[in-house]
Amino acid sequence: MCASAARDPLTLPGRFAAALEGLLPRPLPAAIGIAVSGGGDSMAMLHLAAHWAAPRGVALRAVTVDHGLRAASAAEAALVAAACTGLGVAHDILRWQGWDGRGNLQDRARQARRDLIGDWRGPVGHVLMAHTLDDQAETFLLRLRRGSGVDGLAAMRPQMTVRPGGWQILRPLLTTGRAELRDWARGQGIGHAEDPSNADPRFDRVRMRALLPVLAEAGIDAARLAGTAARMARARRALSLRAHEAAQALIRPGIAGTVTLDHAALDALDEETRLRIVAGALGAVASEPLRPRESALVAALGRVAGGGGAGGGTGGGTGRGGTATLHGCLMIATRGLFIVAREPAAVAGEEGTEREGITLWDRRWRIAAGGRRVAALGAAGLAQMGATAPRPRAACLALPALWDGGRLLSCPALGWGAEVAAEIRAPGGGFPDCLLSD
């Protein structure tokens, strides 16, 4: 690739360089990562990125995740390794062995890739992924088929922060069509592997991909679908800002590790804002970046409104006096407050992982346990606390506590027992800032 082409804004390399530099901070980072599967899009991006990085003194680190689901996957990873060697790019292969045959394979594999890359990246704060304009359109159709609302139909972001970890996925090819990218790669003599699953109609995305040419004949091409997704993203930003502003006025003092809101003020909000706030609270308490399905959220709030327990009740809104479980959380309406606490069942058996005297518990608590066992407070812990336990007691059941056998030593969140340092590092910045996060 000639140097002038790499700078010309009318060429693909020039547009790629402009898009990438618009996403990266200044000064440029010393190193960036790039995820390369061996397919046509990612192999093209590998070459584009390598030719961009070298003259700018930016080290490029490539990674391939071998899911081990097909006999050819090892050979595809080796293809990427050979290309990286030729380009002078450092390359690592990560292997996933977590597929148990349950759930949506493509969704599970996608999440596994993200988790593995997050662990692999080290100090690298930005990782490139080769999503194209066609991917944007396919995602829109997938979510439209599932009945998604504004958030689901909103465009993939060119820059997305991954929590926990705070690293960023960059997508500099979101405005580039797959056909143009593949044509450029062929012209450069860049080889790639063909994943047969990309043509397997058992997968929803493949079926959506097959619809694109049909829709294009009716004037609904990938660019038009991506444009609608971009307008949905603009609406999502406005709705998120509204929810964040409203949530700030609702927050009331409560038990550490929970979200406590003014119940009447929450009920007085419009339904969209109310659902966003409650979904954000659930995500913050459960350390779960994905929102619950709207139908499940509405049903759970109906159980709270019905005044029943976690298993029954109907109706809409948040109401008065009930409880419900959802998303690994317990929602409680009591004494004018709407409380979101961790669900005891979600932390049953959780003992955390210790490193240098600090125990990471339930993905967000960091406790200076000093080697002592950390487990949920539970009913046994509350019984030992006696009348000193705050109310509602149900909101305390899933808090972390230090134990010596069956004897409660401390519950740092409640300030009970031996003094132990504990803090929460919530993904997305905690509540209500998670309402604005990626």
Side-chain angles (χ1 to χ4, degrees):
M1 185 193 310
C2 66
S4 60
R7 293 190 299 269
D8 185 345
L10 298 180
T11 66
L12 176 58
R15 285 184 279 120
F16 173 83
L20 180 54
E21 289 172 18
L23 297 174
L24 288 168
R26 291 293 186 277
L28 292 173
I32 60 174
I34 180 170
V36 188
S37 66
D41 299 343
S42 65
M43 289 294 279
M45 187 177 67
L46 170 64
H47 285 74
L48 288 166
H51 291 297
W52 172 87
R56 292 166 176 82
V58 176
L60 189 63
R61 292 182 54 203
V63 62
T64 301
V65 177
D66 179 0
H67 297 93
L69 299 172
R70 295 178 293 104
S73 63
E76 293 164 3
L79 172 70
V80 178
C84 287
T85 298
L87 291 167
V89 172
H91 177 252
D92 293 300
I93 298 173
L94 310 177
R95 290 179 172 82
W96 179 49
Q97 298 175 322
W99 174 239
D100 57 7
R102 294 182 296 180
N104 185 299
L105 172 57
Q106 290 198 328
D107 286 347
R108 289 280 301 278
R110 188 176 303 112
Q111 186 58 52
R113 280 195 298 275
R114 189 169 295 180
D115 292 344
L116 287 167
I117 291 170
D119 292 338
W120 159 86
R121 65 182 179 85
V124 170
H126 305 85
V127 179
L128 311 188
M129 295 192 178
H131 296 109
T132 66
L133 182 74
D134 297 72
D135 291 307
Q136 190 82 280
E138 291 162 13
T139 300
F140 181 88
L141 290 175
L142 272 171
R143 293 176 177 175
L144 184 65
R145 178 178 176 270
R146 293 171 184 168
S148 296
V150 170
D151 284 18
L153 296 177
M156 282 190 284
R157 301 168 176 88
Q159 185 175 45
M160 188 184 84
T161 302
V162 179
R163 309 284 184 181
W167 59 284
Q168 291 192 325
I169 291 173
L170 304 184
R171 300 180 175 110
L173 292 173
L174 275 182
T175 60
T176 301
R178 184 175 293 130
E180 180 188 7
L181 190 61
R182 298 289 179 93
D183 286 346
W184 178 84
R186 277 192 293 271
Q188 299 292 314
I190 299 169
H192 68 274
E194 289 289 355
D195 181 349
S197 66
N198 287 332
D200 188 338
R202 291 179 299 172
F203 295 117
D204 290 344
R205 182 171 289 274
V206 175
R207 293 196 293 273
M208 297 304 104
R209 186 173 299 152
L211 284 177
L212 286 176
V214 179
L215 292 172
E217 290 181 2
I220 310 172
D221 60 11
R224 192 172 295 276
L225 291 170
T228 298
R231 287 185 282 279
M232 288 292 185
R234 188 169 63 218
R236 176 183 58 193
R237 285 192 292 273
L239 291 169
S240 297
L241 285 168
R242 158 68 177 150
H244 182 262
E245 179 182 357
Q248 288 177 306
L250 299 180
I251 297 173
R252 297 294 180 266
I255 297 166
T258 70
V259 172
T260 302
L261 305 173
D262 183 293
H263 198 175
L266 177 64
D267 269 351
L269 295 170
D270 63 273
E271 184 178 20
E272 175 68 27
T273 302
R274 183 170 65 248
L275 291 174
R276 284 178 176 273
I277 289 173
V278 176
L282 292 167
V285 171
S287 298
E288 174 54 66
L290 298 178
R291 289 179 58 169
R293 289 190 179 275
E294 183 175 301
S295 58
L297 178 57
V298 170
L301 289 175
R303 293 194 292 275
V304 176
T314 58
T318 51
R320 297 291 187 276
T323 65
T325 56
L326 179 68
H327 217 51
C329 295
L330 174 64
M331 293 180 281
I332 306 167
T334 180
R335 300 183 180 183
L337 299 174
F338 182 86
I339 301 168
V340 178
R342 195 68 161 118
E343 181 186 4
V347 294
E350 170 74 29
E351 294 192 359
T353 56
E354 184 181 356
R355 179 178 297 175
E356 298 177 354
I358 302 297
T359 297
L360 173 62
W361 196 85
D362 193 27
R363 295 187 290 180
R364 61 184 183 132
W365 288 95
R366 283 159 175 79
I367 304 165
R372 291 165 292 187
R373 185 171 72 91
V374 180
L377 180 63
L382 285 172
Q384 294 184 46
M385 291 179 66
T388 63
R391 295 182 181 275
R393 292 193 169 202
C396 304
L397 291 169
L399 293 174
L402 276 67
W403 295 86
D404 179 10
R407 183 169 67 93
L408 178 66
L409 299 175
S410 172
C411 182
L414 300 178
W416 188 93
E419 186 174 343
V420 175
E423 64 174 344
I424 295 176
R425 294 185 183 176
F431 186 87
D433 289 348
C434 60
L435 297 168
L436 301 174
S437 70
D438 294 323

